[in-house]
DNA sequence: CAATTGGTAG
DNA sequence: TTCACACCTTCGG
DNA sequence: GAAGGTGTGTCTCTACCAATTGGA
């Protein structure tokens, strides 16, 4: 039995220090002077003080009542806080606006401090805020706000710095410090991939700063700040890293959509014109159309149809072009005949409105000899993920750079497949000679529970796997997997809701369920069409609720 | 006073 | 760090 | 009815605790 890191009550501090060591050894040239100074000074502090700082960094927000900080392993909070105050990492007199003050005061304390100004003392806490923030809009320190309260308020001043450290370690800002403990508890297990000390997410200081800046712009945008300033600043960024260029494109695209919602078409046009993010061109055409610029829209749409950026764009253009031709005075075009897909119409009683329509169809179609599974994207993606596990987790340079990655960092890049073409070919070749069956069974056991961008462990029971291997022909698997590899982002979704197996006949069929008011989405239509082309059994099931005689 | 919500910790 | 659905409005045959 | 558009619930790790809410 190896020693459990969680036996140490300072386990979280050990994890944090592990990150500091990691960054110092691998990111020495990326760390700023301030960050290097912090890393060195941090280690000199008393253990209780370091622990207290990490506890605060891991908690929500930056303001903490001393009375709310209570940790057995740290003991005396005031004593532990002393060196942190001296180092300037926390501050006791930071002015804070009343909105933030409200978050650290109890309802009773608010009444105690502001009772005289509150009109409805029995109302909700949140209802008091608007009127109070108008009267008291200046920021003050906690002791100025509430001199009658016998407590101190510590405010973290280094949250920004800690976020940058987190960004460098994880290569993103959505993973947090709890990753370590969740992994130690076995809640998440990650594939172990070898990588060298030179393998890093963010490779230079400029990229770190740009990433932080983009993130701040995103937050300012979400907070409702004027878009013109934000857009200008984003566009002024010099970005050499393609990954960051994509991030910028995504943010600009979101801002563009926001402008569309506000009917600010001129700003939307300006944004979309310089935006290479997938889908921006279609939005540009749409905004031109909404502005009445039919000829410009037509020119761009025609050009786009020559060189579509994706199947999704092409599909969209097939709807847009006839509409624009009409608006330009062209002849009314007959709509292309809808494909003759197999169609199922059902009238079912909705006994319990809480249950989904897919569940009712599943129950209605299922037979003892023909079970139905509600799988959506999970089945095909999981089978793909299992068969191609070695290619997906191949230790390519730069693909893996910390121990908590669900998948390679370049998974959604244009060249993801090309960089691993031989590996994927080898995996898919198992479909040609039957080896895949044993491989999938073995890998299902060997990798059970290990995080993967494709494998949905919760949805893939042994039973489902057995039936799928029994009934799905390898040629069909190969078509699906190749389609996935052509455009992972676009094709990993849109698969039918249900799949039914006939193990005795070794056949299957897929069923997309549509309740009243629902209709096929673009990505579902593309999967439908693809399966139809390859003579795969697929049907769309339209459900009407039959009258409930009460 | 019971139910709900949101934050924390391992 | 999503995906699919529900529900709404607008448009055009 | 087709199509565009917007909003929502779900993914989330979960047991536990304190604070709040809202109905007796
Ligand atoms: Mn579905
Ligand atoms: Mn469906």
């Amino acid at each position: 039995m190896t020693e459990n890191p969680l036996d140490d009550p300072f386990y979280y501090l050990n994890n944090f220090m592990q990150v500091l060591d990691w960054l110092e050894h691998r990111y020495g040239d990326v760390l700023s002077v301030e960050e290097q100074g912090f890393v060195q000074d941090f280690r000199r502090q008393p253990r209780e003080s370091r622990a207290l700082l990490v506890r605060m960094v891991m908690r929500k927000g930056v303001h903490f009542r001393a009375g709310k900080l209570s940790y057995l392993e740290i003991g005396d909070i005031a004593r532990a806080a002393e060196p942190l105050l001296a180092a300037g990492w926390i501050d006791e007199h930071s002015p804070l606006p009343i909105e933030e003050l409200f978050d650290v005061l109890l309802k009773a304390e608010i009444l105690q401090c502001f009772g005289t100004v509150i009109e409805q003392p029995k109302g909700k806490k949140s209802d008091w805020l608007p009127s109070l923030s108008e009267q008291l809009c200046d920021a003050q320190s906690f002791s100025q706000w509430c001199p009658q309260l016998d407590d101190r308020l510590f405010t973290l001043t280094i949250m920004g710095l800690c976020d940058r450290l987190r960004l460098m370690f994880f290569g993103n800002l959505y993973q947090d410090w709890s990753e370590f403990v969740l992994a130690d508890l076995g809640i998440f297990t990650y594939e172990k991939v070898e990588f060298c000390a030179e393998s890093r997410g963010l490779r230079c200081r400029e990229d770190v700063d740009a990433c932080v800046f983009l993130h701040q712009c995103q937050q300012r945008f979400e907070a409702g700040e004027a878009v013109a300033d934000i857009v200008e600043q984003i566009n002024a960024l010099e970005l050499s890293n393609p990954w960051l260029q994509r991030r910028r494109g995504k943010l600009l695209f979101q801002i563009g959509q926001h402008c569309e919602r506000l009917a600010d078409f001129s700003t939307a046009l300006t944004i979309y014109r310089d935006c290479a993010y997938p889908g921006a061109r279609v939005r540009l055409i749409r905004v031109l159309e909404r502005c009445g610029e039919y000829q410009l829209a037509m020119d761009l749409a025609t050009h786009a149809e020559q060189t579509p950026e994706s199947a999704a764009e092409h599909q969209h253009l097939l709807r847009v072009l006839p509409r624009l031709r009409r608006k330009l005075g062209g002849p009314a075009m007959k709509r292309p005949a809808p494909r003759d897909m197999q169609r199922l119409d059902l009238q079912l009683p909705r006994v319990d409105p809480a249950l989904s329509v897919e569940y009712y169809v599943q129950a209605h179609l299922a037979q003892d000899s023909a079970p139905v599974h509600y799988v959506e994207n999970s089945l095909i993606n999981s089978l793909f993920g299992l068969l191609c596990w070695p290619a997906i987790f191949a230790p390519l340079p730069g693909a893996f750079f910390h121990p908590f990655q669900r998948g390679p960092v370049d998974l959604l890049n244009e060249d993801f497949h090309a960089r691993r073409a031989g590996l994927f070919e080898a995996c898919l070749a198992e479909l040609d000679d039957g080896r895949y069956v044993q491989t999938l069974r073995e890998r299902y056991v060997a990798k059970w529970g290990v995080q993967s961008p494709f494998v949905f462990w919760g949805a893939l029971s042994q039973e489902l796997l057995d039936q799928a291997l029994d009934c799905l022909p390898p040629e069909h698997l190969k078509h699906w997997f190749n389609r996935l590899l052509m455009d992972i982002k676009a094709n990993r979704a849109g698969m039918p809701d249900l799949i039914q197996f006939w193990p005795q006949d070794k056949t299957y069929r897929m069923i997309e369920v549509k309740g009243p008011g629902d209709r096929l989405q673009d990505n579902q239509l593309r999967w439908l069409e693809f399966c139809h082309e390859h003579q795969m059994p697929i049907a769309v099931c339209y459900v009407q609720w039959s009258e409930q005689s009460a």
Side-chain angles (χ1 to χ4, degrees), chain A residues 94-373:
Chain A
S94 286
L96 67 162
I98 192 155
E99 289 83 2
E100 290 171 23
L101 180 73
F102 258 52
D103 290 335
V104 296
L105 291 181
L106 299 184
K107 204 178 169 187
E109 292 172 328
I110 297 176
L111 277 177
Q112 194 182 334
C113 298
F114 303 102
T116 53
V117 228
I118 290 173
E119 293 166 13
Q120 303 227 321
K122 299 216 167 137
K124 282 192 289 184
K125 182 176 169 181
S126 55
D127 291 340
W128 300 341
L129 193 51
S131 72
L132 274 181
S133 63
E134 259 182 52
Q135 301 169 52
L136 309 160
C137 52
D138 291 332
Q140 299 184 62
S141 76
F142 182 77
S143 52
Q144 288 170 320
W145 278 119
C146 317
Q148 59 270 68
L149 290 181
D150 178 32
D151 201 0
R152 304 165 72 186
L153 186 77
F154 298 130
T155 299
L156 274 175
T157 62
I158 49 155
M159 204 43 140
L161 188 150
C162 290
D163 283 343
R164 294 197 299 275
L165 300 180
R166 195 159 57 84
L167 171 64
M168 281 180 250
F169 181 80
F170 288 113
N172 62 62
L173 281 168
Y174 58 81
Q175 289 183 285
D176 62 41
W177 305 103
S178 68
E179 288 288 339
F180 285 82
V181 69
L182 293 177
D184 286 337
L185 285 168
I187 290 168
F188 292 132
T189 21
Y190 296 94
E191 180 72 349
K192 283 195 181 65
V193 183
E194 292 302 322
F195 53 86
C196 59
E198 285 73 43
S199 198
R200 307 196 289 199
L202 294 144
R203 293 185 178 74
C204 62
R205 186 69 214 172
E206 292 70 40
D207 287 358
V208 173
D209 291 335
C211 193
V212 168
F213 184 74
L214 279 177
H215 190 256
Q216 288 168 343
C217 287
Q218 172 105 38
Q219 303 217 302
R220 286 161 54 198
F221 164 61
E222 281 163 9
E225 194 174 314
V227 296
D229 302 335
I230 301 179
V231 170
E232 192 185 343
Q233 291 177 26
I234 297 174
N235 279 324
L237 277 178
E238 282 281 335
L239 299 179
S240 53
N241 183 334
W243 175 73
L244 284 169
Q245 287 168 358
R246 190 184 166 85
R247 289 280 310 264
R248 165 164 67 186
K250 183 175 182 179
L251 178 54
L252 284 170
F253 183 71
Q254 288 170 344
I255 297 175
Q257 291 201 293
H258 176 74
C259 293
E260 279 192 82
R261 266 188 280 271
L262 301 178
D264 181 358
F265 296 136
S266 65
T267 310
L269 284 176
T270 319
I271 290 172
Y272 289 144
R273 259 192 262 272
D274 301 328
C275 185
Y277 195 74
R281 186 161 63 172
V282 153
R283 295 316 311 164
L284 178 52
I285 294 168
R286 177 68 180 142
V287 176
L288 286 171
E289 181 188 356
R290 290 231 267 167
C291 293
E293 297 281 359
Y294 300 132
Q295 191 57 55
L296 287 175
M298 182 58 135
D299 295 345
L300 186 54
T302 311
H303 173 251
E305 203 204 6
Q306 315 288 317
T307 54
E309 67 185 22
S310 67
E313 190 190 41
H314 188 245
Q315 183 182 23
H316 205 109
L317 291 168
L318 290 184
R319 286 197 304 266
V320 170
L321 280 165
R323 197 169 65 220
L324 287 173
R325 284 196 196 100
R326 268 200 319 273
K327 292 191 173 173
L328 285 167
M333 306 285 284
K334 53 186 184 292
R335 235 194 308 283
R339 289 217 166 244
D340 54 329
M341 303 281 177
Q342 207 197 325
R343 180 184 167 121
L344 228 65
D345 282 279
L346 293 181
Q347 285 232 348
L348 300 173
R350 185 163 215 179
V351 184
D352 180 357
L355 296 175
S356 71
V357 61
E358 293 87 354
Y359 170 85
Y360 284 99
V361 177
Q362 177 184 22
H364 181 264
L365 295 178
Q367 303 162 18
D368 289 342
S369 60
V372 179
H373 302 267

Side-chain angles (χ1 to χ4, degrees), chain A residues 358 376 497 512-514 518 524:
Chain A
E358 293 87 354
E376 271 179 350
D497 294 314
E512 170 55 40
V513 178
K514 286 296 157 196
D518 192 11
Q524 294 174 330

